[in-house]
Amino acid sequence: HDVNVYPNPARGRVTVEWVTEGGEWSVELLDVSGRVCESWNTHGDKLTIDVSHLSRGAYFLRVTDSRSSAVRKIMLINQ
């Protein structure tokens, strides 16, 4: 998948954007141990996530559709 995550590093909000041909997408935010912190389902091609309540550090975003998935690392610099 062509998945973009910005800004990275992020503070407060992060946007996940992907090239899509339609269909439903699952987006999961995982901590470094692989635990799912939050998850969303969407039919769009972009999702803006409020990450202001999360601790600073490394996280992973997993974007999945019915055919495949992609994982992107993000750094949160929340105060």
Side-chain angles (χ1 to χ4, degrees):
H1 289 306
D2 187 10
V3 176
N4 296 312
V5 178
Y6 56 89
N8 192 10
R11 180 192 324 251
R13 294 187 186 278
V14 65
T15 299
V16 185
E17 191 172 42
W18 52 90
V19 176
T20 180
E21 297 174 5
E24 185 173 352
W25 292 80
S26 167
V27 179
E28 295 174 303
L29 178 69
L30 301 99
D31 64 17
V32 292
S33 66
R35 183 179 62 90
V36 176
C37 300
E38 296 187 46
S39 62
W40 304 266
N41 290 312
T42 182
H43 290 276
D45 60 358
K46 181 165 48 170
L47 180 66
T48 299
I49 301 166
D50 179 1
V51 294
S52 62
H53 62 286
L54 297 170
S55 299
R56 66 186 314 154
Y59 291 83
F60 296 92
L61 283 164
R62 180 167 51 206
V63 179
T64 307
D65 70 0
S66 62
R67 296 180 302 275
S68 59
S69 67
V71 176
R72 298 292 183 268
K73 181 179 180 180
I74 62 168
M75 293 297 297
L76 299 186
I77 55 174
N78 295 334
Q79 301 279 335

